[in-house]
Amino acid sequence: NSWSENRVFMASIRRKNASHSIFKRSIFSPAQSAMASRSSFESWSFKLFQKRMKISSEVAEYKISTGKKVFDRAREEEKIRAVTELADNDFNRHGIEELFQQIMSMSRKLQYQLLAQNGVVGRLPFIAVEEIEKSRVRVVFQGVEGAYSEAAMKAFFQDDITSFHVEHWRDAMEAIAEGSADFAVLPIENSTAGSVSDMYDLLMEFENYIVGEQVIRCQHNLLGLPDAELSDIKTVYSHSQALSQCKEYLGTHRDWKQIPMVNTAMAAKKVKEDGDKTQAAIASAYAGEKFGLKVLADKIYDNEANSTRFIIVTNQRIFRWDAKKISISFEVPHTSGSLYNILSHFIYNNLNMTKIESRPIPGKTWEYRFFVDFEGNLRDSAVKNALRGMEAETSYLKILGNY
């Protein structure tokens, strides 16, 4: 057991173990050996990944010269089937499928970037303008005078516009589609009640586009006839979202019947026209002034910061040079990982997604289209790269506006 004997023993081990890996397994513990192997594997994997990306660059050069498409779904599916068949169990088969899907996805994104750098970019059917016209234009809003949508219109446009109101959101979309109005002001989202889902459906149905937005504080009040008292009220009218935004207050008056209307100001108008002091409306103080109603209870909303975001819509494909937000809609195959693959275009192009919604696709049971807002301008190369990739890899893509 002397030091010299140990040297002889160690020398004999080195002679017996021809490979370096066997030597490591003999000297180190199983955990140390596993960590050393993992480190070696990671280094090897990194080199292979770099080599794969270099090949992708060469493929991009070939596609630039030949005009071939980056994404060939059938070919990629064929390649993935071939490699997954080599797996020895279901877990590894699924892992290999996911691994190669991501490798191919990253390769495509690199190719899209290289195509853009070489000037091979698709033309977007939108025209950049310095300003959105806010003076001497025709504007339509839904509801009646005193509606929050009228307040949003007044905040966004100048005083010298020509405006008119319609009963339904669809009527407003039709007005700009047929040219009787230049712009429409429509609600898209409330900070308390969430999105106005029907509006997303209308944006898909009509070839109208978002060019601006305006946020309005919604300070709901309970309005009644001048001679009415709170104890007289039996029925409350308002828009369904306004009723939802005041549910805590309404919860203290469970005997009141709640009836939804298409607009808060129209609810105020109904109370005025019916002349029934058992009726009340939830609407703005401005609507109360318009229709000569008394405030029976003020600030009855649940959320102090309660606000509604309105969109400014037109039938022109235009956007401001300094626009900072883009809204899109897309559909993807109803398969595992398809949504992730599309959203990864935001990651690889360093774009910040600010919102995502889903809506059922008409005629397709349990299938959905997605609505996404993200930061950017249609002139940005990163935005062009992302949209090019998403257009190639989605079943359907529509740019709803840049504003």
Side-chain angles (χ1 to χ4, degrees):
N1 291 329
S2 66
W3 179 77
S4 60
E5 288 174 335
N6 280 335
R7 287 186 63 191
V8 172
F9 176 69
M10 293 295 290
S12 66
I13 289 177
R14 284 194 294 270
R15 285 194 299 271
K16 290 178 182 178
N17 294 307
S19 78
H20 180 60
S21 60
I22 295 176
F23 171 72
K24 287 195 295 182
R25 286 196 297 269
S26 302
I27 297 302
F28 299 120
S29 68
Q32 290 173 318
S33 179
M35 291 186 67
S37 297
R38 187 181 69 177
S39 178
S40 175
F41 177 77
E42 288 172 349
S43 176
W44 173 71
S45 300
F46 175 73
K47 291 176 182 177
L48 280 181
F49 175 77
Q50 297 243 88
K51 187 175 181 180
R52 172 67 188 239
M53 292 301 105
K54 185 175 184 299
I55 293 172
S56 294
S57 300
E58 295 169 356
V59 170
E61 291 176 5
Y62 169 74
K63 290 180 178 178
I64 290 170
S65 64
T66 60
K68 287 186 175 293
K69 292 172 61 177
V70 170
F71 185 45
D72 186 339
R73 187 184 303 275
R75 183 177 180 277
E76 289 195 3
E77 289 176 352
E78 180 185 348
K79 292 290 184 183
I80 289 174
R81 277 196 301 270
V83 294
T84 54
E85 288 175 359
L86 302 175
D88 55 7
N89 60 59
D90 288 340
F91 183 86
N92 287 349
R93 187 174 296 109
H94 183 75
I96 288 171
E97 180 180 8
E98 184 175 350
L99 173 63
F100 275 84
Q101 282 177 342
Q102 294 309 312
I103 290 173
M104 290 178 176
S105 176
M106 286 183 280
S107 296
R108 290 196 303 271
K109 291 174 178 65
L110 175 61
Q111 290 178 44
Y112 290 132
Q113 289 183 0
L114 293 173
L115 287 170
Q117 290 172 12
N118 284 271
V120 186
V121 292
R123 294 184 62 185
L124 296 172
F126 284 79
I127 299 172
V129 296
E130 289 190 12
E131 291 288 343
I132 302 299
E133 292 291 334
K134 296 183 178 181
S135 175
R136 298 178 181 179
V137 291
R138 298 163 300 166
V139 184
V140 59
F141 65 93
Q142 182 268 338
V144 295
E145 291 181 345
Y148 286 112
S149 52
E150 184 192 27
M153 179 191 71
K154 289 179 176 294
F156 188 86
F157 292 97
Q158 295 179 13
D159 294 335
D160 60 348
I161 63 171
T162 299
S163 66
F164 63 98
H165 52 83
V166 292
E167 186 173 353
H168 301 288
W169 297 325
R170 174 177 291 276
D171 299 333
M173 294 293 270
E174 289 177 346
I176 54 176
E178 67 186 18
S180 59
D182 300 309
F183 300 96
V185 181
L186 298 164
I188 191 73
E189 180 182 19
N190 178 265
S191 59
T192 302
S195 298
V196 182
S197 56
D198 290 347
M199 195 56 58
Y200 287 102
D201 295 337
L202 290 171
L203 285 168
M204 295 303 297
E205 181 179 343
F206 289 86
E207 288 300 317
N208 297 329
Y209 303 92
I210 307 170
V211 292
E213 65 179 353
Q214 183 68 49
V215 177
I216 294 292
R217 286 283 302 277
C218 296
Q219 298 178 316
H220 298 315
N221 301 275
L222 186 71
L223 308 175
L225 293 173
D227 61 341
E229 299 298 333
L230 198 61
S231 58
D232 297 323
I233 303 305
K234 295 181 180 179
T235 307
V236 179
Y237 297 91
S238 193
H239 187 271
S240 57
Q241 286 214 345
L243 294 170
S244 173
Q245 293 157 22
C246 303
K247 60 185 178 183
E248 289 184 12
Y249 175 80
L250 293 173
T252 63
H253 299 278
R254 296 182 182 276
D255 56 324
W256 290 355
K257 185 178 181 180
Q258 300 176 31
I259 300 179
M261 300 280 290
V262 296
N263 184 272
T264 55
M266 291 181 76
K269 183 180 180 183
K270 175 179 174 54
V271 170
K272 172 65 175 178
E273 291 177 345
D274 287 358
D276 182 352
K277 68 178 185 178
T278 67
Q279 296 181 359
I282 293 177
S284 66
Y286 174 62
E289 293 174 7
K290 279 279 185 182
F291 297 106
L293 299 179
K294 180 172 71 175
V295 176
L296 301 176
D298 65 347
K299 299 179 181 179
I300 63 172
Y301 40 85
D302 300 342
N303 182 0
E304 185 68 30
N306 184 39
S307 303
T308 295
R309 182 166 67 96
F310 291 84
I311 51 175
I312 315 302
V313 183
T314 184
N315 62 5
Q316 303 174 66
R317 295 183 178 184
I318 58 175
F319 67 100
R320 280 180 53 132
W321 279 93
D322 59 350
K324 297 178 181 178
K325 181 192 290 186
I326 298 171
S327 295
I328 63 172
S329 177
F330 60 85
E331 298 171 16
V332 293
H334 198 42
T335 56
S336 175
S338 59
L339 177 60
Y340 170 80
N341 288 333
I342 298 305
L343 296 183
S344 65
H345 285 281
F346 295 113
I347 300 172
Y348 285 94
N349 287 286
N350 198 30
L351 298 172
N352 183 34
M353 184 176 70
T354 58
K355 183 182 180 184
I356 183 169
E357 293 276 341
S358 65
R359 290 285 295 153
I361 302 174
K364 296 183 179 180
T365 306
W366 311 125
E367 292 192 34
Y368 301 84
R369 64 167 56 107
F370 296 90
F371 296 85
V372 168
D373 291 349
F374 64 98
E375 296 174 353
N377 187 286
L378 289 175
R379 297 183 297 116
D380 298 341
S381 59
V383 170
K384 291 178 180 178
N385 288 339
L387 291 175
R388 180 181 185 135
M390 286 188 282
E391 185 176 25
E393 297 171 25
T394 55
S395 307
Y396 175 82
L397 174 76
K398 180 180 180 180
I399 301 171
L400 302 176
N402 188 192
Y403 49 101

